Amino acid sequence: MSGQSLLVPGELSPTRSVPGNIRRPEYVGKPAPTPYKGPEVQTPETVEAMRVAGRIAARAMAEAAKLIAPGVTTDELDRVAHDYMCDHGAYPSTLGYRGFPKSLCTSVNEVICHGIPDSTILRDGDIVNLDVTAYIGGVHGDNNATYLVGDVDEESRLLVERTRESLNRAIKAVKPGRQINIIGRVIESYAKRFGYGVVRDFTGHGINSSFHSGLIIPHYDSPHATTVIQPGMTFTIEPMLTLGTHEYDMWDDGWTVVTKDRKRTAQFEHTLVVTEMGAEILTLP
């Protein structure tokens, strides 16, 4: 693995503004969202709105990713994604969600998830995950991907490549009538081939008009994930694989989650709708 020094918190820039004409999610300005009470199976109209939100989220992530290079700050990536979503009439879902201060998550090297963009400068050999969610039309679209920064060592490159493949395999396993735990079973069995850890305490989730509906999508073979997959269900799959343990520590900011052994980790995510045949990805650019 790369011999890079461990990450430390940087300095936060001022909160970015969102034009007043852009609709906010109901949780903005509140300590927590209102619990979702609606169905997990969505109407065709809601799915179509999510397709729009997902496309904007995917394009915002792609625009930010164009800047990824040694010497660029994670705050600059946040600025690009923020501006793209606002320019296309969408609200950055993470901004103000349970107090999160930025418009995307940037998780570098040993950060599993929920890294806060700041003055941290990307270095040659880093890997960085961008997690972008857009809210428009009353619904959310959520996606993430891990990117290579400059010349990355082979072990890290393979981790990223295989984490992407674990998501692809999990998506193919989604079929109406199967239980949710088929998703984690596929991911975990694939990850074990390479000795990777599979993060257990951070999961995929139901998504629709709610950022997190309450439906949980584990990435390991959980005996409790017995919900039957139905056409029209919308949720994310977002496996987090590690070079070592799946156990973690959390920084004092209450968000940044790092591997306990500080080994590297990668993640990929799409928002999906279940169809009669399988699953359609809603977060394609």
Side-chain angles (χ1 to χ4, degrees):
M1 189 183 75
S2 169
Q4 298 277 43
S5 58
L6 297 179
L7 203 67
V8 296
E11 296 294 324
L12 287 180
S13 64
T15 301
R16 293 190 163 85
S17 62
V18 177
N21 64 318
I22 292 178
R23 178 179 173 185
R24 271 73 168 155
E26 59 84 22
Y27 52 75
V28 174
K30 296 165 54 178
T34 302
Y36 178 71
K37 302 293 187 182
E40 298 297 344
V41 172
Q42 304 304 310
T43 65
E45 293 76 17
T46 297
V47 171
E48 182 55 37
M50 290 181 67
R51 203 172 271 118
V52 173
R55 188 178 304 121
I56 291 173
R59 289 176 176 172
M61 183 172 72
E63 285 300 307
K66 289 177 182 177
L67 270 71
I68 292 175
V72 174
T73 66
T74 55
D75 186 68
E76 180 67 4
L77 304 179
D78 180 80
R79 182 192 64 78
V80 172
H82 176 94
D83 288 350
Y84 186 93
M85 285 184 274
C86 292
D87 288 347
H88 291 80
Y91 185 91
S93 300
T94 60
L95 185 62
Y97 179 78
R98 296 183 181 271
F100 192 84
K102 293 296 176 181
S103 298
L104 82 164
C105 301
T106 50
S107 300
V108 180
N109 296 343
E110 69 270 20
V111 179
I112 295 171
C113 57
H114 304 160
I116 301 175
D118 58 19
S119 61
T120 297
I121 297 172
L122 296 176
R123 302 162 298 180
D124 187 58
D126 282 344
I127 60 175
V128 58
N129 178 274
L130 306 187
D131 192 339
V132 181
T133 310
Y135 178 79
I136 188 173
V139 297
H140 301 268
D142 186 3
N143 68 161
N144 76 53
T146 303
Y147 299 88
L148 309 181
V149 184
D151 185 15
V152 175
D153 67 275
E154 181 74 355
E155 185 180 38
S156 299
R157 188 187 64 77
L158 286 173
L159 173 68
V160 171
E161 180 181 301
R162 290 165 177 166
T163 305
R164 181 191 294 110
E165 176 63 14
S166 77
L167 172 60
N168 293 339
R169 290 176 180 233
I171 291 171
K172 290 176 183 175
V174 174
K175 304 287 183 186
R178 292 180 170 177
Q179 294 182 340
I180 289 290
N181 59 11
I182 186 65
I183 294 169
R185 188 176 309 140
V186 166
I187 292 168
E188 187 172 41
S189 63
Y190 179 70
K192 279 185 173 180
R193 288 167 50 180
F194 310 105
Y196 295 153
V198 181
V199 172
R200 301 167 77 89
D201 290 349
F202 300 90
T203 68
H205 53 89
I207 184 171
N208 38 66
S209 60
S210 173
F211 196 170
H212 300 87
S213 73
L215 177 66
I216 294 173
I217 312 295
H219 302 121
Y220 65 100
D221 188 5
S222 169
H224 306 295
T226 56
T227 300
V228 175
I229 298 170
Q230 302 176 58
M233 291 177 75
T234 50
F235 52 81
T236 72
I237 304 176
E238 45 188 296
M240 291 152 264
L241 305 187
T242 69
L243 289 176
T245 182
H246 68 268
E247 297 180 347
Y248 67 92
D249 293 319
M250 186 174 288
W251 283 4
D252 291 342
D253 61 24
W255 284 105
T256 306
V257 180
V258 295
T259 54
K260 187 169 282 292
D261 58 11
R262 303 303 190 265
K263 291 186 177 180
R264 288 187 169 189
T265 175
Q267 182 185 18
F268 284 84
E269 173 187 23
H270 276 304
T271 295
L272 312 171
V273 60
V274 180
T275 68
E276 296 290 346
M277 301 298 293
E280 176 194 346
I281 298 172
L282 298 177
T283 39
L284 291 175

